[in-house]
Amino acid sequence: MAFDVQTATAWITASEAVVKANEARLTGLDAAIGDGDHGANMARGLAAALANIAEKEPATPGDVLVAAGRGIVAKTGGASGPLYGTAFRRAGKALGDATEATAEQVGDALEAALTAIKELGGAAEGDKTMVDGLAPAVAAFRQAVADGGDLASASVAAADAAEAGLAATVPLQARKGRASYLGARSVGHEDPGAASLALILRALAEVTA
Amino acid sequence: MTVGIVLVSHSPAVAGSVADLAAELAGPSVAIRAAGGTDDGRFGTSIELISAAVRSADSGDGVCVIMDMGSSVLTSKTLVEDLEDEADAPVVRLADAPFAEGAVAAAVLASTGQDLDAVVASAEHAWSMRKL
C-alpha cells in the first residue's frame, strides 16, 4: 500500500484515539519527572490536528501532515506542541506534492521530522527525550525499506524500535526540559515524550497493516 | 527608532508583571507586550498569543523576544520559522537572556532609540551583570 491522503488521515485519527486512551498513563509518566500535563496536552493537540485536517481538506498526504502539525502547534500548550507540530510539518513538506508516497519517501519524511526535533529542541540521543524513541525508529524504518520491506513492515519495525527506545530511556538521566532539573532523580522513569512517540508510531503500523 | 519588546512566559501573571516592571523603568516610548500562558488562560505557551504580541509591539524597527524556558523558547523559535515564510512579517530576534533582568535591560536600551541588534545584545549582556 502507498501512503496517501486516506492513510495519512487515518494515522492522525488513530494517533488521537490512542493518545486519548493513554492520556492518564502519559500524564502519570509526566507527573513523575515533568509537569504532569503531557497526556492532556497531547490529546488537545491531536484533536486540534484532526479539526484542522477536516477544515483544510488537504489534497496530498504531505498536506495532511502539515495541517496536523499546524493544529498541534496552535493548541498543545506545552513543549510537545512545537516539537511534534514542527516534526509533522517538516515531514509533510518532505513528502512534497506526492499523492501516493512510497515507503522510501515516508522514510525520508520521518528523517526530516527527526532532524526538525533535534534542531528545535537541541536534544541528542541519550538525553532522555522523544529523540531516544524517534532516532532508532527512523533507522529501523529505513533499514527495513533498504532490505526490501514495504510500508507496512517498515512501520512495524519503526514502532518496535520506538518501544525499545522508550524502554531504554528508563535508566537515563534527563538532560532536557523540567526533568533535567531533577538530575539523578530523573533516573528510573520512562520519558513521557518517548512514550507518546511510541504510541504514535504504533498507530502508523496499525493503519498501514 | 524604537524596538518593541515581547515577553513570553508560561505564566500570564509573570509575563504581565515583568512587562509592567520593564515599562516602569523604560518609560512610555517602548512598546512592551506580554504573551503569557495559553490562549485559554492556562499555564503554558500559545504561538497565537506570541504572534499577536509581536505584531502589536512592532513599529517597523523590529521586535526583541525574551522567553522564560522550555515551551516558551520552543514556541518562539517555531514562530520565527513561520514568519520567515511570510511576506512583510515583523523582524524578530530571540534574546538568550535572563527573563526579568533581560527585559529591563532591553527595554531601557530600546527607550534610547538603539537598533534591534543593540537591544538584543543588551538583554543578553544581563547574564554578566553580577548582583553580589
Side-chain angles (χ1 to χ4, degrees):
Chain A
M1 88 182 288
F3 189 78
D4 57 13
V5 166
Q6 285 70 33
T7 309
T9 306
W11 180 25
I12 306 303
T13 304
S15 296
E16 193 272 342
V18 73
V19 163
K20 190 120 190 79
N22 283 272
E23 186 178 324
R25 178 183 146 238
L26 292 174
T27 291
L29 292 176
D30 197 29
I33 56 175
D35 53 357
D37 60 4
H38 189 59
N41 282 349
M42 287 299 295
R44 189 185 312 108
L46 284 162
L50 286 180
N52 202 34
I53 291 168
E55 186 191 322
K56 298 280 165 41
E57 299 183 7
T60 64
D63 285 348
V64 170
L65 300 188
V66 169
R70 289 201 189 287
I72 290 168
V73 167
K75 290 293 174 193
T76 301
S80 49
L83 290 167
Y84 273 111
T86 303
F88 276 111
R89 289 196 296 183
R90 291 274 191 90
K93 286 180 182 171
L95 291 177
D97 297 331
T99 52
E100 296 199 338
T102 63
E104 191 171 8
Q105 288 173 310
V106 174
D108 291 345
L110 291 172
E111 182 86 52
L114 173 62
T115 301
I117 288 171
K118 283 180 163 177
E119 279 177 12
L120 184 59
E125 282 184 75
D127 285 350
K128 198 180 183 94
T129 71
M130 61 200 294
V131 170
D132 293 314
L134 186 55
V138 171
F141 188 101
R142 293 171 79 102
Q143 186 61 49
V145 173
D147 292 345
D150 61 4
L151 177 62
S153 61
S155 299
V156 169
D160 290 347
E163 286 164 8
L166 167 61
T169 63
V170 172
L172 296 175
Q173 179 170 328
R175 287 199 284 262
K176 289 284 169 188
R178 180 192 181 278
S180 64
Y181 298 132
L182 296 173
R185 280 176 289 160
S186 66
V187 171
H189 302 275
E190 287 180 335
D191 175 66
S196 57
L197 183 94
L199 294 174
I200 289 168
L201 288 180
R202 182 59 66 191
L204 177 64
E206 284 168 3
V207 301
T208 56
Chain B
M1 169 175 290
T2 310
V3 170
I5 313 282
V6 168
L7 302 175
V8 183
S9 170
H10 285 66
S11 157
V14 168
S17 294
V18 174
D20 290 345
L21 172 65
E24 173 67 23
L25 293 165
S29 66
V30 186
I32 305 172
R33 300 288 180 266
T38 63
D39 57 2
D40 52 359
R42 292 172 295 112
F43 287 98
T45 318
S46 161
I47 197 166
E48 287 165 30
L49 286 184
I50 303 169
S51 177
V54 161
R55 289 166 209 282
S56 170
D58 184 44
S59 60
D61 298 320
V63 177
C64 172
V65 178
I66 300 175
M67 307 76 65
D68 59 359
M69 77 262 301
S71 66
S72 297
V73 179
L74 299 182
T75 306
S76 298
K77 286 172 77 173
T78 303
L79 176 65
V80 168
E81 191 175 322
D82 285 0
L83 292 176
E84 285 169 4
D85 297 337
E86 189 182 305
D88 303 322
V91 177
V92 175
R93 291 270 309 276
L94 307 183
D96 184 349
F99 194 67
E101 294 84 348
V104 170
V108 169
L109 199 73
S111 74
T112 68
Q114 296 285 301
D115 68 11
L116 181 56
D117 283 348
V119 170
V120 171
S122 177
E124 296 183 345
H125 182 65
W127 287 122
S128 62
M129 305 280 271
R130 302 300 302 264
K131 296 172 191 179
L132 296 174

